[in-house]
Amino acid sequence: MKINMLEYNKMLINNNISIIYSGPLWAEGIDGMAEFIQRRLDKDELTLSASQSVFSVFVEQLNNMLMYSVNKEQPENTDKPHTEASKGIFLMGKHDHSYFLQTGNYMKTSSVELLKSRIDHLNTLDKQQLRQFFKEQRKIEDNNPESKGGGIGLIEVARRATSKIDYDFIPCEDGITYFTMYVTI
């Protein structure tokens, strides 16, 4: 498919999108993307606190995509240390004095209700309650059998966001749902 790059560029600029990535993602690849994001934030001359918040949310969102995406790609060269890459999309933009970060990836439909209830719960808490909830969750085991972490990544995203976490679940086929998360900082 041929894309009119001039029109595509105008669309990105008109929607204030400064970074977009779509494709495979593996743990080692996050480091390179993180350096790129950090340089972009340095160029924008953000306060240290704002820069740390954007960077932290970026890392959490990509880690979630890495761990929970059901769309996996096997490497062509099997002698590499990693065995598979997750697939998804990430974008970052700036509107006025706020940044927005959005990710999207396919996930198991069976995990939708738990994830939805977690985000909905976090969206009811204020900053002080989020801080307390974060401390409590660090002390207990995660109750999600499919979780590969302590369940505190979403809490960290909510703590750093300047508005509620926005999300959408789009049902697909064969027990798969497309999940997108939008965070403003």
Side-chain angles (χ1 to χ4, degrees), residues 53 144 163 170:
S53 290
N144 179 1
S163 61
I170 303 166

Side-chain angles (χ1 to χ4, degrees), residues 18-108:
S18 56
I19 298 170
I20 188 167
Y21 176 80
S22 176
L25 179 68
W26 52 94
E28 297 84 8
I30 291 178
D31 294 339
M33 292 176 74
E35 183 177 340
F36 181 76
I37 295 289
Q38 191 60 58
R39 286 184 186 209
R40 177 63 198 198
L41 296 173
D42 289 346
K43 180 185 177 295
D44 289 351
E45 299 179 0
L46 291 174
T47 65
L48 180 60
S49 174
S51 179
Q52 287 174 338
S53 290
V54 171
F55 189 78
S56 178
V57 169
F58 160 77
V59 170
E60 290 297 340
Q61 283 184 303
L62 260 58
N63 276 324
N64 284 336
M65 188 187 319
L66 182 67
M67 290 190 289
Y68 300 110
S69 174
V70 295
N71 195 354
K72 305 286 186 182
E73 178 179 283
Q74 297 297 322
E76 292 178 22
N77 186 353
T78 57
D79 63 341
K80 298 282 184 183
H82 62 278
T83 58
E84 62 186 9
S86 297
K87 286 185 162 183
I89 187 168
F90 166 80
L91 64 87
M92 182 177 94
K94 184 177 178 185
H95 184 69
D96 294 328
H97 299 290
S98 296
Y99 282 81
F100 58 88
L101 298 102
Q102 185 169 356
T103 54
N105 61 276
Y106 292 98
M107 62 179 283
K108 293 179 181 177

